[in-house]
Amino acid sequence: MAESTGVTVGADEREVLKVLALDGALEGQAQVSCSSLGGRLDVSTQTVSRRFQRLDEAGLIDRQIVSDGQLVSTTDAGKRVLRREYADYQRLFEREQGIELTGMVTGGMGEGKHYISLSGYMRQFTSKLGYEPFAGTLNIDLDEASVHARAGLESIDPIRIDGWENDNRTYGPAFCWSAHVEGNGRTYDSAHVIAPERTHHADDQLELIAPDRLRDELSVEDGDELTIHVEK
């Protein structure tokens, strides 16, 4: 799968990316031709060809030339571009609303406990969030609608947890968003969504931190459904 190469694209290329997604490239392959797409965008075939090339070079699409056009799919990097566009429109039209995410509790890999407990992070949690988090994160598998909705986090200013280093290694920054969580007939008001700047988690994975062990406070186990309301 293609990855971003650092090549930037402009509004014209993003418009092509959007049209391709509407034609099915987001979840599979869309069969298109430069001439038909040019007619829809009111530009020349050559112009569309250049925009395709730019999107390809930027790692935002995968494409295969066939006899009657091209088979095009959107890469993960391309999906992130579209989600940022979505977040921008949310910022315009849903300014006063928060974001609601739903998913199921799942077991993590134990990394959250290690990183949350590190002194360089813990000092900042205490000063910036106002509490010392429980040593561990609650992991959520988001449902399909929430995978798309989480792009709205980009429209909310996060609390930044700065990166730091010690004698052994460098630790990257993370971002936190205030949230309250509902599940099993209970509500917890003092949680935060946390997302490292660089993470191995997919877009359907969400992590929560809080002063208390959320599994106990909400009386939930793996497979139970939670709703997370991220506040603006």
Side-chain angles (χ1 to χ4, degrees):
M1 181 174 291
E3 294 293 336
S4 176
T5 60
V7 177
T8 58
V9 297
D12 291 337
E13 288 80 16
R14 293 196 298 272
E15 179 68 16
V16 173
L17 194 65
K18 181 184 76 173
V19 173
L20 291 171
L22 290 170
D23 283 351
L26 200 62
E27 302 299 337
Q29 287 185 317
Q31 184 166 354
V32 297
S33 68
C34 290
S35 58
S36 64
L37 197 57
R40 292 165 65 185
L41 297 173
D42 197 25
V43 297
S44 69
T45 299
Q46 292 78 11
T47 296
V48 173
S49 181
R50 287 194 296 270
R51 292 177 186 175
F52 268 132
Q53 182 66 31
R54 191 77 172 167
L55 289 168
D56 198 357
E57 291 173 350
L60 304 184
I61 61 171
D62 286 325
R63 56 179 180 156
Q64 176 186 356
I65 306 299
V66 294
S67 59
D68 53 351
Q70 303 182 51
L71 295 175
V72 184
S73 60
T74 309
T75 66
D76 288 344
K79 291 176 183 178
R80 288 193 291 270
V81 169
L82 289 171
R83 285 175 179 147
R84 285 195 293 271
E85 291 277 293
Y86 173 65
D88 286 341
Y89 283 110
Q90 281 191 311
R91 187 182 304 168
L92 289 171
F93 296 110
E94 301 175 15
R95 189 179 302 273
E96 300 304 322
Q97 301 178 21
I99 298 169
E100 184 174 290
L101 305 171
T102 303
M104 291 191 303
V105 176
T106 184
M109 295 182 290
E111 293 183 350
K113 180 177 182 179
H114 168 68
Y115 286 104
I116 294 298
S117 301
L118 293 174
S119 60
Y121 290 131
M122 189 62 76
R123 286 193 297 269
Q124 295 185 72
F125 291 141
T126 303
S127 63
K128 295 181 178 182
L129 304 185
Y131 62 83
E132 182 175 298
F134 170 80
T137 61
L138 182 65
N139 295 270
I140 308 295
D141 277 336
L142 296 176
D143 60 28
E144 184 176 354
S146 296
V147 171
H148 298 293
R150 75 172 293 166
L153 289 176
E154 297 195 27
S155 69
I156 304 175
D157 291 334
I159 300 169
R160 180 181 173 88
I161 306 299
D162 295 323
W164 56 284
E165 60 183 61
N166 58 22
D167 294 336
N168 299 317
R169 60 171 290 184
T170 298
Y171 297 90
F175 304 98
C176 295
W177 293 266
S178 180
H180 65 271
V181 189
E182 298 177 359
N184 201 26
R186 302 185 180 188
T187 299
Y188 190 92
D189 292 324
S190 303
H192 284 83
V193 172
I194 185 167
E197 185 176 59
R198 297 180 180 178
T199 178
H200 60 272
H201 289 320
D203 288 340
D204 62 352
Q205 301 291 306
L206 193 77
E207 291 185 276
L208 298 170
I209 60 174
D212 307 292
R213 188 173 188 265
L214 287 172
R215 284 176 179 267
D216 294 339
E217 295 297 314
L218 297 169
S219 191
V220 292
E221 300 177 351
D222 287 358
D224 289 342
E225 185 175 276
L226 292 180
T227 300
I228 302 98
H229 301 272
V230 183
E231 302 164 5
K232 287 201 172 185

